[in-house]
Amino acid sequence: MTTPVLFPLTGKRVWVAGHRGMVGSAIVRRLASEACEILTATRAEVDLKDPAAVRAFVGDTKPDAIFMAAAKVGGILANDTQPADFLYDNLMIAANVTEAAHRHDVGKLLFLGSSCIYPREAPQPIPESALLTGPLEPTNEWYAVAKIAGIKLAQAYRKQHGRDYISAMPTNLYGPGDNFDLQTSHVLPALIRKAHEAKAAGADHITLWGTGTPRREFLHADDCADACVFLMQRYSGHDHVNVGSGEDIAILDLAKLVCEVVGFTGEIRTDPGKPDGTMRKLMSGETLKAMGWAPRVGLREGVAAAHAWFAESQ
Ligand code: GFB
């Protein structure tokens, strides 16, 4: 049975912070089927790292609800090489938006985190209760610490001020509008690009980073957006909620799937000189499943759609 709606979006003014990003744009697409007014601001209009600018925007536009989809994001290498940016930018964004929401009486806020908040050696599948039970994965601890602070901000404003601020923790996401830059992207867009370009160039191989043995769970951005809208409407609680697909795959098997979808038949090589990161981070999706939510986009279908989007954008 699906959990009832506690916070209807009908007639509400809803700010999607980060509406140009992959997740933010998916939330905007998803909200098109709700009778709400969508508010957006570009980075040039409001710098989310500037407290006064965020406060002024929220005061002027008076949203009823905020989806916090804005973040500095990137793959394993970007996280590992720009720790100050990943920590500072994400801390500032979380703190500024949450504080401005409280000051201007925004009724509901959903903060979006990441599965990297969990300890490196967390039990698999990872329950929400594993948060802060052990050391983090070093390649992304800076981003993880900022995202943990975002969860704690939502909980603190709930506890001290009675605010209905909640958090969702999505797994590794992919989809249209993803970052396909090979140095800074996540693995899935990187593999799509590598296979696509190798096929076009008639190359005989592509090379993965790391050993290919780590496992990752992937969720399409449209499923993530649907889960965020679901939680915004139907969840009110202190604890963050995992948002995943419930299945993971080894990176080498993912590469094979991508090559099949793209039509690249060459060799797949590995590069153990590049970091593997955490070996596994499959989340438990039981909380959200028990509320009546399920993902819709299968991995092969989603990869094909992401590849089509990439090919068209070239
Ligand atoms: O997606 P990814 O960069 O991030 O890497 P994480 C996942 C796995 O894919 C790692 C391997 O084991 C990589 O070594 N991989 C293989 C590749 N080939 C490639 C490639 O060409 N590019 C990339 N990027 N990876 C991120 C965190 O961790 O996940 C962030 O750094 C965030 O903080 C995000 O949480 C969701 O899954 O390791």
Side-chain angles (χ1 to χ4, degrees), residues 70-72 85-95 143 146-147:
K72 177 170 177 63
D85 292 355
F86 276 85
L87 181 55
Y88 177 81
D89 290 10
N90 288 306
L91 278 176
M92 291 299 280
I93 294 168
Y143 180 73
K147 288 296 179 182

Side-chain angles (χ1 to χ4, degrees), residues 76 79 114 116 143 172 185-187 194 209 216 275-276 281:
I76 191 165
N79 269 266
S114 160
C116 71
Y143 180 73
N172 288 34
S185 73
H186 289 104
V187 61
K194 286 178 181 178
W209 291 356
R216 291 291 184 273
D276 271 339
K281 50 176 173 179

Side-chain angles (χ1 to χ4, degrees), residues 17 43 47-50 54 68-72 87-99 111 147 153:
R43 193 170 301 183
D47 177 359
L48 298 180
K49 299 199 292 295
D50 175 353
V54 178
M68 281 181 66
K72 177 170 177 63
L87 181 55
Y88 177 81
D89 290 10
N90 288 306
L91 278 176
M92 291 299 280
I93 294 168
N96 291 341
V97 176
T98 309
E99 167 66 11
F111 173 74
K147 288 296 179 182
L153 279 161

Side-chain angles (χ1 to χ4, degrees), residues 1 27 41 73 75 85 110 133 136 145 168 239 255 301 309:
M1 208 186 69
I27 292 174
V73 296
D85 292 355
L110 180 138
T133 56
L136 298 164
V145 165
D239 292 332
E301 172 199 350
W309 187 90

Side-chain angles (χ1 to χ4, degrees), residues 54-222:
V54 178
R55 217 175 292 153
F57 176 76
V58 175
D60 290 347
T61 57
K62 301 239 173 303
D64 301 299
I66 302 176
F67 286 93
M68 281 181 66
K72 177 170 177 63
V73 296
I76 191 165
L77 198 64
N79 269 266
D80 205 20
T81 52
Q82 302 165 42
D85 292 355
F86 276 85
L87 181 55
Y88 177 81
D89 290 10
N90 288 306
L91 278 176
M92 291 299 280
I93 294 168
N96 291 341
V97 176
T98 309
E99 167 66 11
H102 166 60
R103 279 195 190 217
H104 292 290
D105 221 12
V106 176
K108 188 126 193 187
L109 177 149
L110 180 138
F111 173 74
L112 268 151
S114 160
S115 59
C116 71
I117 58 161
Y118 291 115
R120 180 180 161 85
E121 306 298 339
Q124 310 282 326
I126 312 172
E128 284 89 353
S129 59
L131 182 64
L132 293 173
T133 56
L136 298 164
E137 154 60 33
T139 53
N140 57 32
E141 65 179 325
W142 320 97
Y143 180 73
V145 165
K147 288 296 179 182
I148 292 169
I151 299 174
K152 291 294 162 191
L153 279 161
Q155 292 177 346
Y157 281 78
R158 168 176 289 274
K159 184 173 175 188
Q160 186 177 338
H161 300 295
R163 293 294 181 195
D164 191 2
Y165 296 171
I166 60 172
S167 299
M169 292 307 114
T171 187
N172 288 34
L173 302 172
Y174 70 98
D178 209 342
N179 169 19
F180 285 83
D181 176 276
L182 289 182
Q183 288 308 306
T184 56
S185 73
H186 289 104
V187 61
L188 231 172
L191 293 180
I192 290 173
R193 178 175 209 135
K194 286 178 181 178
H196 182 89
E197 292 182 346
K199 184 184 175 192
D204 64 353
H205 72 276
I206 60 165
T207 305
L208 309 184
W209 291 356
T211 60
T213 56
R215 299 180 71 83
R216 291 291 184 273
E217 175 187 8
F218 295 95
L219 184 73
H220 194 277
D222 285 341

